[in-house]
Amino acid sequence: MTTRWIRHPREIRNRYRFPGFSRDSSGRSLVPFSVHVLGSSGGYPANGQPCSGYLVRGTAGAILLDCGPGVATALLRDGPHCNLDAIAISHLHPDHTLDLIPLAYSLLTEWLVDGRTVPLPLFVPLGGIDFLRRFSDLFGHRQWRLPTDGGSPGKQAIATSLAQGQDWVFSVFDIREYMPGDDFGRGDLTVRTHPVDHGVPTAAMRIDDADKSVVYSADTRFLPSLASFASRTDLFFLDAHLSGLFAPGGAHMTPMEAGRLGAMAEASELVLCHLATPEDGDSARRAAAVEFKGPIHLACQTSEYAL
């Protein structure tokens, strides 16, 4: 497998525009199977680069894997519509979830202004519904009120739910919990998951499209069973957070461990992500290359992968 990839220096990457999401008359995507890195920073938006967010597009639709700080800005760079079919959250740490609220505001605008009435599926690990309810309550969303007469069908639906004391975030999202290890999806879009070792319920994710596949490790310690889950994947996005002096520790992998896991999985190509800082990129690639002999990319440097 040869992956077409584009390397973006900072001044180019900051001007990158994501194309509109085209479909045929049956509703299937016309976009080739691809991954756009919206952000890959670990813990905080190092050097202005957003935290974890990976936009996977294929024939079955578009799904966002994780939604950390800065991801909504990157996703909505061209306008107010997110053009997503689903969101999947690997775990409930803030660097993977905080931009769900800005993204909810974008969806709310679609409901109030454009007449949208279909909530966006949002898949979260067990405990995610309570997490999002408490998170949204910090901003008093269930106390909002709108006139219930007039306006678009979407506005009327939001106004009615608010009048009933419901949180509008739970109207614009269709929030569904899963257990790591479950498969889930929407229509033909299927995500397979595998539980990983990160101290809280966390899922690695695999998406297959025809004869191609992408695997995202999420945050994890070295876990041999993940190699079987990612077996012969075309593109393996791997946590390599323990990449240098700025990594505070925690349940993550070193770049060399990421390379070893990629080799065990017999992956075609690796993408190192969640580095402690982008400055670790070159040394992280060298360390991973000790174990993995195929192409190794850096998510903080290469933003687009077309399979």
Side-chain angles (χ1 to χ4, degrees):
M1 189 278 293
T2 299
T3 301
R4 293 187 294 111
W5 55 276
I6 300 171
R7 181 169 179 169
H8 296 286
R10 173 179 287 260
E11 65 273 12
I12 296 175
R13 180 173 53 243
N14 287 347
R15 294 199 301 269
Y16 184 72
R17 297 294 184 267
F18 292 98
F21 192 46
S22 302
R23 299 179 183 275
D24 63 18
S25 58
S26 68
R28 293 183 67 81
S29 167
L30 298 175
V31 177
F33 195 29
S34 63
V35 183
H36 298 274
V37 179
L38 300 175
S40 65
S41 291
Y44 64 98
N47 292 15
Q49 297 187 24
C51 291
S52 297
Y54 302 87
L55 176 60
V56 182
R57 285 172 162 162
T59 57
I63 184 167
L64 177 63
L65 308 182
D66 284 338
C67 194
V71 168
T73 299
L75 181 66
L76 301 170
R77 193 180 298 276
D78 272 344
H81 297 164
C82 63
N83 294 318
L84 294 173
D85 292 289
I87 301 173
I89 300 299
S90 66
H91 64 292
L92 300 176
H93 282 167
D95 56 330
H96 295 255
T97 59
L98 287 188
D99 264 23
L100 286 173
I101 293 299
L103 197 52
Y105 274 80
S106 168
L107 290 169
L108 179 64
T109 301
E110 292 188 40
W111 283 65
L112 299 182
V113 177
D114 299 327
R116 178 174 180 146
T117 57
V118 179
L120 181 65
L122 169 58
F123 299 93
V124 294
L126 190 66
I129 289 177
D130 182 61
F131 167 85
L132 288 169
R133 183 174 290 113
R134 289 184 287 112
F135 187 20
S136 186
D137 278 347
L138 294 174
F139 310 104
H141 290 147
R142 72 175 72 219
Q143 278 73 53
W144 289 23
R145 293 296 181 268
L146 294 172
T148 56
D149 55 334
S152 70
K155 183 176 181 179
Q156 292 178 35
I158 294 293
T160 298
S161 68
L162 287 170
Q164 296 170 349
Q166 299 174 18
D167 185 338
W168 62 261
V169 170
F170 284 73
S171 295
V172 301
F173 286 129
D174 176 11
I175 305 173
R176 313 176 192 183
E177 291 188 337
Y178 71 90
M179 286 286 292
D182 291 347
D183 296 346
F184 56 79
R186 174 186 181 275
D188 294 332
L189 181 63
T190 301
V191 179
R192 295 168 54 197
T193 73
H194 181 79
V196 293
D197 183 4
H198 192 52
V200 297
T202 305
M205 300 181 186
R206 178 172 184 142
I207 300 175
D208 293 89
D209 191 297
D211 61 343
K212 303 295 184 183
S213 68
V214 169
V215 176
Y216 168 50
S217 75
D219 293 6
T220 182
R221 294 184 177 96
F222 181 80
L223 189 67
S225 64
L226 185 53
S228 297
F229 176 72
S231 178
R232 298 185 180 277
T233 186
D234 294 284
L235 200 57
F236 198 176
F237 286 79
L238 278 160
D239 172 9
H241 184 61
L242 303 181
S243 58
L245 296 176
F246 287 95
H252 296 278
M253 285 188 284
T254 66
M256 186 175 292
E257 288 174 325
R260 185 178 310 136
L261 197 60
M264 291 169 61
E266 299 182 66
S268 296
E269 304 188 26
L270 301 189
V271 184
L272 302 181
C273 53
H274 213 278
L275 300 182
T277 176
E279 285 79 9
D280 291 341
D282 290 339
S283 62
R285 198 198 317 256
R286 288 193 299 270
V290 172
E291 300 281 350
F292 184 81
K293 303 310 178 185
I296 301 172
H297 312 290
L298 302 173
C300 61
Q301 291 184 0
T302 305
S303 65
E304 181 179 2
Y305 302 83
L307 286 80

